[in-house]
Amino acid sequence: MRVYISADLEGVAGVVSPAQLVSGPAYEEARRWMTAEVAAAVRGAQRAGARQVVVNDAHEAMTNLRLEDLPPGVEVISGKPKALGMMCAIDAGWDLAFLTGCHARQGSGGLLSHSYSASTIARLCLNGREVGELGLNISLALACNVPVGLVTGDAAAVAEALELFPGLRTVAVKTAYGRQAARTLTPGEACSRIEAAAGEAVAAPCQSDEIRHWQPQPPYTLAVDFASPVMADAVSYMPLTRRESPCRITMEQAELPALFRAFQAMLTIAGAVAR
Ligand SMILES: [Zn+2]
């Protein structure tokens, strides 16, 4: 059993404030909690028989995990830019994927909600259905024939994932009391629940037809609403894009990994003109 983990930070227990997401003392504490939750998922998977576990650091600079605090035997994909970004290295070679520390999409009521980039992305639709990071990242795993065994994050993120993919195994570690406030589990309790769920996911993965309630079919079309027309101006110079409106760019591809990779380039270009 080979397990792939994509690890974000906003959906980790105890994380409620933007000050915890980028450098500084609050961030140093938050990245310890993030690493502890990932370590719990790794331990759960290993104890249930996973022979290989690789974690993709998937938040901001993608150098958040404290490598010395992870269990022996795990490997980490660290740094950016990297092809497929939050889902770097996902392909058909994995038996199971976990997504940890997840948050809800831009425009939703979830804690610290956004879709890949709060400053540039207003809305994303995949094959006509509104998605955030969870919808797109899980769709990519499924398109690579990798079942998703576990999603952890705040309650709104978990609800968003379950709306698209009923039957997913999930752990909700906090409930939003606003965009920047929540009732949260302690890190220790969150880790206990995540370790148990990760073990169950490896020992008894969800039936594929249970978790594939929604699986977009090729060709894949991504509609991206940018926060400003200048971002769409710059992204429209990419080949194969269509300018649907002042802020909306669409792209169609036969393969979802190719579309996801192009979307990473869109994020980079839009981010460059956002400043
Ligand atoms: Zn993040």
Side-chain angles (χ1 to χ4, degrees):
M1 171 76 76
R2 299 180 69 220
V3 177
Y4 174 91
I5 302 177
S6 174
D8 205 350
L9 175 58
E10 288 88 346
V12 167
V15 175
V16 296
S17 158
Q20 292 170 295
L21 301 180
V22 285
S23 61
Y27 164 75
E28 291 301 324
E29 184 177 53
R31 70 191 284 224
R32 276 205 307 278
W33 297 337
M34 173 192 184
T35 304
E37 288 195 7
V38 170
V42 172
R43 277 195 308 273
Q46 288 175 334
R47 283 183 186 156
R51 285 191 303 109
Q52 184 179 22
V53 183
V54 174
V55 184
N56 181 29
D57 195 323
H59 173 76
E60 290 285 347
M62 301 182 171
T63 53
N64 308 283
L65 292 166
R66 293 164 50 99
L67 305 192
E68 69 274 24
D69 294 337
L70 289 170
V74 68
E75 290 181 295
V76 176
I77 301 168
S78 189
K80 73 185 277 191
K82 50 193 173 188
L84 302 182
M86 296 187 80
M87 297 298 284
C88 180
I90 193 76
D91 62 24
W94 302 98
D95 299 303
L96 200 59
F98 297 169
L99 281 70
T100 63
C102 302
H103 54 82
R105 68 180 177 232
Q106 176 74 20
S108 74
L111 202 72
L112 303 169
S113 56
H114 65 279
S115 299
Y116 298 97
S117 163
S119 59
T120 56
I121 304 296
R123 192 167 188 263
L124 294 172
C125 287
L126 177 63
N127 286 15
R129 189 146 188 185
E130 186 168 5
V131 293
E133 295 176 19
L134 276 164
L136 197 49
N137 292 349
I138 293 174
S139 293
L140 179 62
L142 298 180
C144 294
N145 284 318
V146 182
V148 174
L150 178 62
V151 170
T152 77
D154 74 291
V158 162
E160 185 177 307
L162 288 172
E163 188 187 333
L164 294 170
F165 311 99
L168 271 178
R169 182 176 282 100
T170 60
V171 176
V173 300
K174 57 192 174 186
T175 303
Y177 277 21
R179 186 179 160 76
Q180 297 178 195
R183 190 182 73 228
T184 179
L185 299 180
T186 60
E189 177 62 23
C191 288
S192 299
R193 296 187 193 188
I194 289 169
E195 182 169 345
E200 290 165 12
V202 169
C206 289
Q207 295 302 306
S208 58
D209 50 348
E210 282 180 339
I211 63 166
R212 292 184 183 192
H213 176 79
W214 180 63
Q215 188 168 2
Q217 299 299 312
Y220 301 96
T221 302
L222 187 65
V224 183
D225 287 353
F226 289 96
S228 154
V230 71
M231 299 170 191
D233 286 344
V235 171
S236 73
Y237 308 150
M238 286 175 66
L240 306 177
T241 54
R242 274 200 317 273
R243 184 80 173 262
E244 302 279 354
S245 68
C247 287
R248 178 172 296 177
I249 297 285
T250 63
M251 179 182 273
E252 181 181 300
Q253 290 281 322
E255 304 288 339
L256 193 51
L259 182 57
F260 198 97
R261 202 161 47 241
F263 175 56
Q264 303 307 306
M266 292 184 196
L267 288 170
T268 304
I269 292 167
V273 295
R275 299 185 190 104

